[in-house]
Amino acid sequence: MLDRLVLTDFRNHDALTLAPARGFVVLTGPNGAGKTNVLEAVSLLAPGRGLRRAALGEMARTDGAGGFGVAATLADGTEIATGTLANAPERRVVRINGAASAANALAERLSILWLTPAMDRLFTEPASGRRQFLDRLALALFPGHAVHAARYDAAMRSRNRLLTEERPDREWLDALERRMAEHGTALDAVRRETVAALAERLAAQPAGDFPRAGLALEGWSGEPGDLVDQLRAGRARDAAAGRTLAGPHRVDLLVRHLEKDRAAALASTGEQKALMLGIVLAHAELVTARTSVPPVLLLDEVAAHLDPARRAALFARLAGRGQVWMTGTEPALFADVGGGATRIALG
């Protein structure tokens, strides 16, 4: 968990220092006070682009000196910092205990998962959004997943560029396709293990306030070694399409409402939100069981659209599950959280 969080020129916060305790961290205040901005800052302490997936240049405070900083001290004393410099607003800098580090190394220090109102569209948006969500779930269980994902994407981009040339270098194409197969096979294996373990946990849970989700993968599948042959055979097709048409980047996460036995995309908005909550809660429990360290949960406006009974059920299930950050405009929404919460009013 985070013992201390310091924001400098991040979004609307010029200088903000928080000292959250273990358990619930409740941020309240009017719209525009910067509650979600705090959650976004915490999300940047993990690999990736954060919960908004925004460009780094958008995160620096408009009237600031240029660049931004997010620094945290973890419960074990580890110090993590990330941000940008004024002269390089789109280049991310990461430091762990004062030493320069790669962003992917953050996954070895902290596991973070989030749920935002924008993710209510996850079941109806393109497959890329569901893959990103799945990769975030996988990363909490397998910190090395980010490295394989980054190297696979880099090799695929290089291959796509090379295929646009009139006479691409065949040896370089072979090397890139071998690299894609190496990291793509690892990427696919971790995704499938994550889906299988989470689906098993969800199916074993009794029906309750949060409906159980059935999970599966569809799209590309291949045995180790298959991808190299598929890529080599598909060069002409991929060159014509301007993109690679085979590989784990073509996989989709399928979600079903188990109680009603229908696709999550066909469920009501309320049911979809409850399904997402159920997945996130089950995943947090899975991570805790596998690693003995609960993930940090960031739940943006999670209580606003839940009825009182379901809100109480959510808080009861989250109690004792590690550090849980929640936002809302009204403090009354969190009356059932309990007296041990860190309550912070912004704005």
Side-chain angles (χ1 to χ4, degrees):
M1 69 173 187
L2 280 65
D3 278 352
R4 190 167 184 263
L5 178 69
V6 179
L7 310 187
T8 304
D9 282 339
F10 184 80
R11 297 289 190 181
N12 68 315
H13 300 291
D14 56 350
L16 178 67
T17 299
L18 303 178
R22 182 179 178 84
F24 291 105
V25 182
V26 178
L27 304 174
T28 58
N31 293 328
K35 303 182 296 297
T36 304
N37 293 342
V38 173
L39 298 194
E40 182 182 28
V42 176
S43 74
L44 291 176
L45 299 174
R49 296 171 56 187
L51 59 80
R52 283 192 176 107
R53 295 193 59 77
L56 291 171
E58 298 175 10
M59 300 178 189
R61 191 168 65 92
T62 302
D63 298 324
F68 70 86
V70 177
T73 302
L74 307 187
D76 64 0
T78 300
E79 295 184 349
I80 294 175
T82 189
T84 61
L85 303 176
N87 60 353
E90 294 295 345
R91 179 178 176 271
R92 185 177 182 183
V93 176
V94 174
R95 292 189 176 277
I96 300 177
N97 290 328
S101 180
N104 286 337
L106 293 171
E108 301 171 5
R109 303 287 182 165
L110 198 59
S111 173
I112 304 175
L113 188 66
W114 52 80
L115 191 59
T116 70
M119 292 171 66
D120 290 350
R121 302 187 297 271
L122 188 72
F123 301 127
T124 56
E125 68 179 8
S128 58
R130 289 184 289 281
R131 281 195 300 273
Q132 291 164 7
F133 176 66
L134 173 57
D135 285 339
R136 178 62 54 189
L137 299 179
L139 186 62
L141 293 166
F142 304 94
H145 184 66
V147 174
H148 289 297
R151 291 179 179 174
Y152 176 84
D153 287 343
M156 182 170 61
R157 289 194 300 270
S158 295
R159 177 180 181 270
N160 289 343
R161 286 195 298 270
L162 192 58
L163 286 174
T164 64
E165 297 181 4
E166 185 176 350
R167 293 182 179 178
D169 186 318
R170 291 185 177 276
E171 290 187 3
W172 183 226
L173 268 177
D174 287 342
L176 289 171
E177 288 167 355
R178 287 194 299 270
R179 191 177 306 171
M180 285 181 66
E182 174 190 355
H183 297 292
T185 299
L187 185 70
D188 185 62
V190 165
R191 285 175 175 169
R192 294 185 184 279
E193 184 172 346
T194 299
V195 167
L198 185 53
E200 181 180 2
R201 176 169 285 267
L202 284 162
Q205 291 179 343
D209 293 283
F210 302 100
R212 297 174 303 155
L215 306 179
L217 292 178
E218 75 165 2
W220 179 85
S221 64
E223 297 298 323
D226 285 358
L227 185 54
V228 169
D229 294 335
Q230 292 173 4
L231 292 172
R232 184 176 293 115
R235 287 175 182 175
R237 178 193 62 182
D238 293 349
R243 63 188 188 278
T244 300
L245 298 175
H249 63 286
R250 306 288 291 180
V251 164
D252 193 5
L253 175 66
L254 299 184
V255 181
R256 294 189 67 81
H257 190 307
L258 286 182
E259 275 70 42
K260 296 191 175 181
D261 191 26
R262 67 182 181 190
L266 302 177
S268 70
T269 301
E271 287 174 332
Q272 290 177 351
K273 184 181 288 290
L275 281 167
M276 284 293 296
L277 271 171
I279 292 171
V280 169
L281 292 171
H283 179 263
E285 294 162 0
L286 176 62
V287 172
T288 304
R290 288 276 189 101
T291 69
S292 300
V293 180
V296 174
L297 295 181
L298 310 177
L299 306 179
D300 192 24
E301 299 288 350
V302 70
H305 302 292
L306 297 178
D307 59 62
R310 189 164 279 175
R311 274 204 306 271
L314 173 64
F315 300 152
R317 189 164 172 184
L318 288 170
R321 300 288 182 183
Q323 198 171 57
V324 182
W325 296 64
M326 299 185 293
T327 66
T329 55
E330 300 295 333
L333 292 171
F334 306 100
D336 294 328
V337 165
T342 302
R343 299 178 186 269
I344 301 167
L346 297 175

